[in-house]
């Protein structure tokens, strides 16, 4: 497997805030071309994954011609764009010419590897629409599993479509997903607002084997995880979520103190969740401000989860902890979530950004 990437990166806020004497030399790197360093990369190659960079700039990203790059058709190569939504990162592939993904789940695992691959939480395919929709979205997680949908991923998906179709300004699309119809709308400021549809609360449809305790829903129910009794609310946003604000020993979580790698898998693979589950651990700052960390089914700890943020607000409303419009703070940044009473739909608004463009031999 070989990769050639053209990369354009922006200085992170931490560097932009540095004193001029420190930041200036970093900015000067923007004129550096990797052609002069090609010999250094030869020592980093391994037999299965070779990386070479044609150019790299650090500074304000320059507009790369997507048409000239993604429209190329080379036998044995796939061109991709890497995006992230608050640090939840994805490899986006133009798959509009086929109803089958251009790579296999096994190949996706290799591409998502952060040491020997491109590095990502998943691979997303833009595919032809079905049943009257504009497009179909499919995803392979970093472990090769296929989730129904991904909130941060669908924002990246929308921005990728705008690039592919050379669209500007406010745009909306209808997208068929494993979770049903999703409608993302690119805003004038570049953020993406997504109608995530209605939350599913019926226990058997989430799915969870926990007994319903409130109108067929599981709300603030006890879940025994390795001898610790957690209070959980179960919500599906087309994919299953287990939301917890605390346990019997600690009713109010401080999420930064959690050992997510230790506790997350125990929730994901718990016998009460026949399809496994995403798990959100939530700290309440106010009626309009929540903080969460997430263990994603099939991806582990990630910097953000859009469907998870939606599930958190739904759970917070059901438990009487928050209002219907909240800012949800994730490790990668904030998302604005609203659960509207008028239509019972959940709306998510947040950013999606290009990281770099590349090609990979498959």
């Amino acid at each position: 497997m070989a990769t050639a990437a053209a990369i354009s990166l922006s200085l992170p806020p931490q560097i932009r805030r540095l004193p001029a004497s420190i930041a200036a030399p970093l900015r000067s790197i923007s004129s550096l071309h990797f052609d002069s360093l090609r010999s250094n990369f030869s020592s980093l190659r391994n037999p299965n994954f070779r990386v070479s960079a044609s150019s790299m700039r650090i500074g304000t990203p320059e507009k790369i011609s997507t048409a000239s790059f993604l429209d190329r058709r080379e036998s044995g190569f796939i061109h991709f764009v890497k995006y992230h939504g608050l640090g939840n990162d994805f490899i986006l592939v133009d798959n509009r010419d086929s109803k089958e993904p251009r790579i296999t789940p096994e190949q996706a695992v290799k591409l998502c590897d952060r040491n020997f691959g491109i590095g990502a939480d998943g691979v997303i395919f833009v595919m032809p629409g079905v049943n009257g929709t504009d497009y179909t979205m499919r995803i392979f997680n970093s472990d090769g599993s296929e989730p129904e949908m991904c909130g941060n991923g669908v924002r990246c998906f929308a921005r990728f479509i705008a690039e592919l179709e050379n669209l500007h300004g406010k745009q909306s699309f209808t997208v068929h997903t494993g979770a049903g119809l999703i409608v993302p709308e690119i805003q004038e400021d570049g953020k993406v607002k997504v109608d995530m549809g209605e939350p599913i609360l019926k226990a058997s449809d989430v799915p969870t084997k926990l007994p319903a305790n409130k109108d067929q829903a599981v709300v603030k129910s006890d879940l025994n995880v390795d001898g610790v009794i957690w209070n959980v609310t179960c919500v599906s946003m087309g994919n299953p979520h287990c939301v917890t604000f605390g346990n019997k020993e600690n009713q109010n979580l401080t999420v930064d103190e959690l050992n997510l790698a230790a506790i997350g898998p125990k929730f994901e693979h718990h016998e009460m969740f026949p399809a496994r589950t995403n798990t959100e651990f939530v700290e309440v700052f106010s009626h309009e401000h929540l903080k969460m960390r997430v263990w994603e089914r099939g991806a582990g700890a990630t910097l953000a989860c859009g469907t998870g943020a939606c599930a958190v607000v739904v759970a917070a409303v059901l438990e009487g902890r928050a209002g219907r419009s909240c800012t949800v703070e994730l490790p990668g940044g904030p998302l604005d979530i609203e659960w509207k009473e008028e239509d019972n739909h959940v709306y998510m608004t947040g950013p999606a950004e290009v990281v770099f463009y590349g090609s990979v031999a498959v």
Side-chain angles (χ1 to χ4, degrees):
M1 190 182 291
T3 300
I7 304 172
S8 180
L9 301 170
S10 60
L11 285 172
Q14 297 93 324
I15 292 178
R16 290 200 297 268
R17 289 195 292 267
L18 289 173
S21 60
I22 300 174
L26 292 173
R27 292 192 179 94
S28 70
I29 299 174
S30 63
S31 62
L32 177 66
H33 288 267
F34 266 55
D35 291 338
S36 62
L37 302 178
R38 202 174 294 273
S39 61
N40 292 339
F41 276 91
S42 61
S43 62
L44 300 178
R45 292 173 180 163
N46 70 59
N48 298 315
F49 198 92
R50 294 184 294 109
V51 178
S52 63
S54 58
S55 66
M56 185 175 186
R57 294 181 174 85
I58 300 177
T60 303
E62 298 177 9
K63 193 72 176 178
I64 296 176
S65 173
T66 316
S68 63
F69 181 75
L70 292 173
D71 286 349
R72 291 184 300 181
R73 291 290 183 265
E74 300 172 62
S75 178
F77 276 82
I78 288 178
H79 303 300
F80 66 88
V81 183
K82 182 172 174 178
Y83 279 79
H84 79 88
L86 299 179
N88 198 188
D89 54 346
F90 305 95
I91 300 162
L92 276 291
V93 176
D94 181 5
N95 212 118
R96 292 174 295 169
D97 59 354
S98 173
K99 293 183 179 180
E100 291 298 322
R102 295 181 65 189
I103 67 171
T104 66
E106 293 75 21
Q107 289 172 318
V109 171
K110 293 179 181 178
L111 293 177
C112 290
D113 190 290
R114 295 189 183 278
N115 294 304
F116 298 105
I118 296 163
D121 291 320
V123 180
I124 297 177
F125 306 91
V126 177
M127 306 179 77
V130 297
N131 301 326
T133 59
D134 297 321
Y135 303 96
T136 294
M137 172 180 169
R138 287 185 64 182
I139 316 168
F140 291 150
N141 281 326
S142 57
D143 70 350
S145 62
E146 182 171 0
E148 298 86 352
M149 214 276 292
C150 173
N152 287 312
V154 78
R155 296 200 314 276
C156 296
F157 184 95
R159 290 293 300 271
F160 186 47
I161 289 172
E163 284 202 83
L164 290 173
E165 306 283 7
N166 196 28
L167 303 174
H168 304 280
K170 198 168 185 176
Q171 304 286 339
S172 66
F173 320 100
T174 55
V175 182
H176 173 75
T177 74
L181 176 67
I182 300 294
V183 184
E185 181 181 82
I186 300 175
Q187 307 294 292
E188 293 291 350
D189 63 1
K191 289 185 178 180
V192 182
K193 181 178 181 178
V194 186
D195 179 352
M196 301 288 286
E198 298 186 54
I200 298 166
L201 302 177
K202 186 178 178 181
S204 59
D205 293 339
V206 170
T208 178
K209 293 181 181 179
L210 286 168
N213 60 356
K214 184 178 180 181
D215 300 327
Q216 299 187 18
V218 174
V219 179
K220 206 173 182 181
S221 184
D222 289 351
L223 179 69
N224 188 325
V225 181
D226 263 12
V228 178
I229 307 301
W230 293 80
N231 303 127
V232 302
T233 293
C234 298
V235 179
S236 172
M237 294 302 308
N239 55 353
H241 293 269
C242 173
V243 181
T244 181
F245 297 86
N247 53 52
K248 296 295 185 185
E249 299 173 1
N250 184 4
Q251 293 289 328
N252 299 297
L253 291 178
T254 302
V255 295
D256 288 338
E257 296 178 357
L258 291 171
N259 184 346
L260 208 58
I263 191 67
K266 296 175 183 178
F267 276 83
E268 178 184 357
H269 297 281
H270 199 286
E271 61 183 358
M272 289 294 104
F273 304 107
R276 296 188 292 160
T277 190
N278 302 282
T279 309
E280 287 76 32
F281 301 88
V282 192
E283 184 174 351
V284 179
F285 290 141
S286 74
H287 217 53
E288 297 81 27
H289 184 192
L290 308 173
K291 183 177 182 178
M292 65 172 265
R293 291 179 68 194
V294 60
W295 182 267
E296 289 198 52
R297 178 187 60 167
T302 62
L303 294 177
C305 176
T307 56
C310 294
V312 160
V313 172
V314 171
V317 171
L318 293 174
E319 293 194 20
R321 298 177 183 271
R324 286 179 170 266
S325 183
C326 295
T327 296
V328 181
E329 183 181 333
L330 303 103
L335 286 173
D336 294 321
I337 308 295
E338 183 178 9
W339 183 18
K340 287 190 176 181
E341 280 193 87
E342 307 92 87
D343 59 7
N344 197 40
H345 284 217
V346 181
Y347 294 83
M348 169 190 63
T349 303
E353 305 289 343
V354 170
V355 182
F356 63 84
Y357 300 76
S359 300
V360 61
V362 294

